[in-house]
Amino acid sequence: MSTEQPPQTTPDVVKAEAEAAEKALADLRRDFTGYRIWRATRWDGRLGDWVASLHDPRAGVDPTVIASNPAALREALVHEGERAKNPRPRTR
């Protein structure tokens, strides 16, 4: 059985990760103004998934988009924008 301890995260690394996440959040909010974008809170209180709620129907189709990281959320929101440009079938 191994007695090695997992590597400890230093405060500098934690701070850098938090700053990178804040920048990514600000960038997403700037680039996708038709959405309200935030980080979900996990059961243990830590930040979790990246979430976007649609506020402008011209910006997307699905009312909520959830991704595990900012790059995946950006990709999904770009796709949503493309979907919104296509004409929707009319319903009666």
Side-chain angles (χ1 to χ4, degrees), residues 1-2 4 6 12 14 17 20-23 25 32 51-54 60 72-73 75-76 79 84:
M1 181 155 60
S2 174
E4 290 182 33
D12 291 339
V14 171
E17 288 174 354
E22 285 298 318
K23 181 180 181 329
L25 187 58
F32 300 97
V51 183
S53 291
L54 183 64
L73 184 59
E75 184 178 326
H79 178 70

Side-chain angles (χ1 to χ4, degrees), residues 1-9:
M1 181 155 60
S2 174
T3 59
E4 290 182 33
Q5 296 289 328
Q8 297 296 317
T9 305

Side-chain angles (χ1 to χ4, degrees), residues 14-35:
V14 171
K15 183 178 177 184
E17 288 174 354
E19 288 172 356
E22 285 298 318
K23 181 180 181 329
L25 187 58
D27 291 346
L28 285 165
R29 288 175 173 162
R30 180 196 65 228
D31 295 342
F32 300 97
T33 58
Y35 290 87

Side-chain angles (χ1 to χ4, degrees), residues 46-64:
R46 294 186 306 163
L47 292 175
D49 288 336
W50 295 70
V51 183
S53 291
L54 183 64
H55 285 268
D56 181 352
R58 296 171 294 182
V61 177
D62 291 330
T64 305

